[in-house]
């Protein structure tokens, strides 16, 4: 594909009689870095000139739907990218289908280069931009994934609906080595010379518990490889331990490419294999959303459309208790308070609190998915929505509908000493039994808002009635 794109761009250049060479426009989206950047490498390699204008378009629609921590991470990453470019990142606000064609015309661009976006919103946006660009090509090179959506398919061309066979085909498909690119790859055009009004980079004032930017991503990844990867397969389910990589926000915003990460993995070790499998899950969910865009907010398995869920004032009160971490179930409350305070939630605890919402409280999974997107720094449409549907039983490769997590036994298994609960539920910090299985419940800590045994039976009744 790279050679084809080069031929197309050179043909476009040849058709422009006024200029021997023209600059390129590099439009950053979910790729806020300079290293291992296929679109940057393509932009520089496609012409005889290395003049490139780096830009980011702040879309008001995404500003409205992004939580404050995601906007903070985005803003911090953009500031770091601008610093890495010596102040030559142009950030403008507006609709991309309006701003990108204007910028391309402003510099008489040979082409606009992007990392391909496979999410429903991104695909529609790029179609509109491509139409407005006219004769200027919009060229996609690379994506935020190891194996881009659509590349892995069954022998008959159909997409996979189950993860395990997808994983086998995904491994066989493979991926390229990291692209050779960096700050010195191009001669960056100074946007100050263009007379284009830039906008302020977002800075909502939210506190982040993870540092944004390419340098921070590389530092965090190297630290995990050296200090956490060997024990990852055993520690990753323990929220009381520092057993995960904390790379999810960096992957969400592309401050690092997964190929850069995989290049550091020794495939012969158990920790590396386990981590690689998690990256495969990320690619799988992106592939699912690519092929079934309706699954962003509707059940992927329409057979679950008739499931009975609770609504009304009582349901709203239970929802608010869940969001606030006031359910009376320690591991659930610890997770929801960690989410609300930090914008991060351990993956095992995500599953526990999700199961509690849909199977103990009988609320729509979409309510939980929306709250996660509001709160999470790493909120990603494909991962978030399909993770929720896995718990609700209505997604691809979903958990069996009859699997209902017991929050008490889950807490005892994955937070055996209760350290995680004590950290996030201070009412239980001094108790000998933070799981409250045998110990007394402190008077300042709420009683359980539901009876788990009764609600489990009710959940199974509703699922059996489908």
């Amino acid at each position: 594909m790279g050679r084809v794109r080069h031929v197309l761009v050179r043909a476009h250049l040849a058709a422009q009689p006024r200029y021997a060479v023209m600059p390129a426009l590099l439009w950053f989206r979910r790729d806020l870095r300079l290293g291992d950047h296929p679109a940057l490498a393509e932009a520089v390699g496609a012409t005889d000139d290395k003049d490139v204008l780096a830009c980011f378009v702040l879309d008001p629609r995404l500003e409205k739907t992004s939580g404050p921590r995601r906007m903070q991470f985005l803003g911090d990453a953009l500031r770091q990218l601008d610093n890495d470019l010596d102040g030559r990142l142009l950030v403008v606000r507006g609709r991309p289908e309006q701003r990108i064609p204007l910028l391309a015309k402003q510099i008489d661009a040979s082409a606009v280069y992007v990392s391909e976006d496979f999410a429903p919103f991104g695909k529609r946006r790029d179609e509109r931009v491509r139409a407005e660009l006219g004769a200027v090509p919009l060229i996609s090179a690379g994506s935020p994934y190891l194996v881009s959506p659509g590349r892995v398919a069954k022998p008959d061309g159909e997409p996979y609906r189950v993860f395990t066979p997808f994983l086998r085909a995904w491994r066989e498909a493979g991926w390229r080595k990291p692209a050779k690119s960096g700050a010195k790859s191009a001669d960056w055009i100074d946007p100050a010379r263009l007379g284009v009004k830039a906008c302020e980079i977002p800075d909502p004032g939210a506190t982040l518990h993870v540092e944004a930017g390419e340098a921070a991503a590389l530092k965090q990844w190297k630290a995990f490889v050296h200090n956490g990867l060997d024990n990852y397969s055993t520690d990753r389910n323990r929220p009381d331990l520092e057993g995960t990589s904390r790379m999810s926000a960096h992957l969400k915003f592309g401050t690092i490419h997964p190929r850069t990460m995989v290049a550091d993995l020794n495939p012969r070790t158990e920790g590396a294999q386990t981590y690689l499998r998690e990256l495969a899950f990320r690619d799988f969910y992106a592939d699912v959303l690519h092929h079934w865009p309706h699954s962003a907010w509707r059940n992927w398995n329409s057979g679950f459309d008739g499931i009975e869920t609770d609504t009304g004032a009582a349901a709203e009160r239970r929802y608010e208790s869940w969001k606030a971490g006031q359910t009376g179930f320690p591991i659930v409350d610890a997770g929801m308070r960690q989410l609300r305070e930090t914008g991060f939630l351990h993956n095992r605890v995500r599953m526990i609190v999700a199961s509690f919402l849909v199977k103990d409280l009988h609320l729509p999974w979409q309510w939980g998915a929306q709250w996660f997107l509001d709160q999470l720094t790493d909120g990603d449409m494909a991962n978030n929505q399909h993770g929720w549907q896995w718990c609700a039983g209505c997604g691809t490769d979903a958990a069996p509908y009859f699997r209902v997590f017991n929050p008490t036994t889950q807490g005892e298994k994955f937070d055996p000493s209760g350290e995680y609960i004590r950290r996030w539920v201070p009412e239980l910090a001094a108790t000998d039994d933070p799981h409250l299985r045998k110990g007394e419940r402190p008077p300042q800590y709420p009683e359980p808002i539901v009876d788990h045994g009764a609600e489990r039976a009710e959940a199974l009744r509703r699922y059996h009635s489908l």
Side-chain angles (χ1 to χ4, degrees), residues 128-166:
R128 290 191 291 266
V129 171
R130 186 173 283 108
E132 293 298 325
L133 279 171
V136 179
L138 179 67
I139 298 176
S140 300
S143 78
Y145 305 101
L146 273 175
V147 181
S148 297
R151 273 191 59 202
V152 176
K154 299 178 183 178
D156 62 1
E158 289 294 308
Y160 283 100
R161 297 165 181 257
V162 178
F163 175 69
T164 301
F166 173 89

